[in-house]
Amino acid sequence: MLRLASIVLAVVFLVLPAASPSAAAEVDVTATVPFQKVYTPLFGFDNILRSSDDRTVSLLLDRSTGSGFISSSMYHHGFFSASIKLPSDYTAGVVVAFYTSNGDVFQKTHDELDFEFLGNIRGKPWRIQTNVYGNGSVSRGREERYVLPFDPTTEFHRYSILWTRDAVAFYVDDIPIRHVSRSRAGGDFPSKPMSIYGTVWDGSNWATSGGRYRVNYQHGPFVASFTDLALAGCPVDQMLPARGCAEAVAASDPAVMTLAKLQAMRRFRERNMVYSYCYDKRRYPVPFAECDIVESESKRFKDSGHLRLALRRRRTGRRPGRAGGAKADM
C-alpha cells in the first residue's frame, strides 16, 4: 500500500487573461493554490484525503465507495494536466480517470475528453484509454488504448489534455499520443464548456479483459495520487467564454504540433497502441474522416481493431523517470 503521508500534491491553476495570442506562449504552471479554491469533492467524501495545508489530495476506492473531485468552474478550451501515480499490486477492475465533461449539464448532447486508466492483473502492464465524445456521440466512441512504456505505479507521470477550437491532443509526459482535428471530426467535436474531473471507481464489469477480472477488495484500498494538477483554461460565466482566451490557448506551446512532436507521436503509437477505432471494421465499416489509415499499419490490427500480436516490450537498464523515462522508452 502507498504511504499516504508521502504523497505530495501541487494543484496548479492558471486562467489565461483576455490578451493577444502571443501572451499564451509563456504558460506558468508553478503557482499553487489551496485545493478548495479550485476543486470541490464530487463523491466518496470520506475517501478523499486532504493534507492540513489543503494542498495534498488522495482518492481512495474501498468496499464502500470510490471517490472523485470536480473543478469549481467550467471551461471553454484549455490545457488540463495532472501527474498521477496509480495504485499498485493487483488492480483488476479499478478505473482511475482524469477527464473533462459536461454530462451533468447536457445529458443528451454532452462532450467528453478522457484519460481512463484500466486496472491490471499483477505482473501485467497498465493500459490507458483515451476517448473523444462531442455532442452526445457516445455511440461513435472513438476509443484508443495503449500499453504504457513505464510502470505508472512507482513514480508520477504527467497526463495532459489540450482542447482548442480547432483540435484535441492527449499527452503522456511531454509526448503527444493522439491528435484529433475539429475540421475532420465534424459535428462530433467537443464544443461546449466542460468541467475537469479526477476519479477512482469500480469498473469490474468492463475494465479488465472485458470484465473477466473483477475488483478484489482484499488488495484494497486502492489509492490514486495526483500532483502538478494544472488548469490553464478559459473559465465561463453564464456559459460565455472569456474574451481572447481561446486564441491564447490555441497559440500556447502544447497546441503547436511541431515536426518533432508529430514524429514522437507516431513512434509512441507504433510501439504502444493496442486498439484503435480507426481499424475496428466490425463497429465502423467506413472509417471516420479523421482516421489516417496506413495500409502497412492496418495489417497489424484485426478486424476488431485490436492488435494481432502482443507488443514486445523493450528492456532498458535505465529506471524510467517522468518525462525523461518516457522519452527513453519510446
Side-chain angles (χ1 to χ4, degrees):
M1 183 185 302
L2 298 174
R3 296 181 180 179
L4 300 184
S6 65
I7 300 172
V8 178
L9 173 70
V11 179
V12 181
F13 175 72
L14 173 66
V15 176
L16 296 175
S20 62
S22 60
E26 297 181 0
V27 176
D28 181 12
V29 292
T30 60
T32 61
V33 295
F35 179 84
Q36 64 180 358
K37 188 175 181 180
V38 181
Y39 291 100
T40 184
L42 179 63
F43 69 99
F45 302 135
D46 291 339
N47 281 4
I48 301 176
L49 306 183
R50 297 161 57 180
S51 64
S52 58
D53 62 1
D54 203 30
R55 293 176 184 271
T56 298
V57 175
S58 303
L59 301 182
L60 281 70
L61 167 67
D62 59 21
R63 294 180 185 273
S64 63
T65 183
S67 55
F69 58 80
I70 182 175
S71 60
S72 301
S73 299
M74 298 184 75
Y75 296 84
H76 202 207
H77 308 120
F79 180 74
F80 315 111
S81 183
S83 292
I84 303 171
K85 184 160 63 173
L86 300 177
S88 59
D89 200 28
Y90 185 94
T91 54
V94 177
V95 178
V96 178
F98 178 66
Y99 64 105
T100 69
S101 178
N102 49 33
D104 56 339
V105 179
F106 305 98
Q107 296 182 2
K108 295 184 179 180
T109 60
H110 91 284
D111 307 289
E112 191 169 322
L113 300 170
D114 298 325
F115 266 117
E116 291 180 325
F117 305 87
L118 310 179
N120 69 328
I121 306 166
R122 186 184 291 110
K124 299 293 184 178
W126 271 81
R127 297 191 178 197
I128 63 173
Q129 177 167 296
T130 59
N131 304 318
V132 177
Y133 303 138
N135 297 311
S137 60
V138 178
S139 62
R140 301 181 295 279
R142 289 181 165 85
E143 303 98 337
E144 289 189 348
R145 290 189 182 186
Y146 325 84
V147 172
L148 290 173
F150 48 76
D151 184 348
T153 70
T154 59
E155 294 180 310
F156 287 97
H157 286 266
R158 191 180 187 191
Y159 308 90
S160 308
I161 300 171
L162 171 75
W163 174 39
T164 73
R165 292 181 303 183
D166 299 318
V168 165
F170 295 87
Y171 281 80
V172 173
D173 289 322
D174 295 325
I175 305 299
I177 67 169
R178 184 177 182 184
H179 185 272
V180 178
S181 170
R182 176 176 184 167
S183 62
R184 300 181 68 181
D188 289 347
F189 190 85
S191 59
K192 300 179 289 296
M194 293 187 278
S195 299
I196 297 88
Y197 298 79
T199 59
V200 59
W201 50 283
D202 187 330
S204 291
N205 292 335
W206 67 277
T208 307
S209 298
R212 180 180 178 185
Y213 300 97
R214 305 177 65 84
V215 174
N216 184 341
Y217 286 101
Q218 292 183 355
H219 297 279
F222 304 97
V223 183
S225 309
F226 293 74
T227 190
D228 300 332
L229 192 59
L231 282 75
C234 307
V236 296
D237 181 15
Q238 297 181 350
M239 308 309 292
L240 297 176
R243 182 179 301 175
C245 182
E247 290 80 0
V249 171
S252 64
D253 179 73
V256 179
M257 296 301 292
T258 64
L259 177 60
K261 288 181 180 179
L262 292 173
Q263 291 174 336
M265 180 171 67
R266 181 175 179 179
R267 288 194 298 271
F268 183 96
R269 294 170 66 82
E270 288 178 346
R271 301 179 182 185
N272 301 285
M273 189 167 68
V274 295
Y275 171 83
S276 174
Y277 70 104
C278 288
Y279 295 110
D280 192 339
K281 298 178 182 178
R282 296 179 183 175
R283 293 175 65 191
Y284 313 114
V286 179
F288 288 94
E290 72 271 14
C291 291
D292 292 317
I293 303 299
V294 181
E295 191 60 31
S296 59
E297 183 177 76
S298 66
K299 297 178 181 179
R300 299 171 48 230
F301 292 87
K302 305 175 184 178
D303 287 346
S304 63
H306 294 276
L307 201 64
R308 290 184 181 276
L309 300 175
L311 290 173
R312 293 183 178 181
R313 311 312 306 166
R314 294 196 307 165
R315 293 185 179 183
T316 174
R318 299 172 58 186
R319 182 184 182 189
R322 291 178 60 184
K327 290 180 180 178
D329 285 342
M330 290 186 287

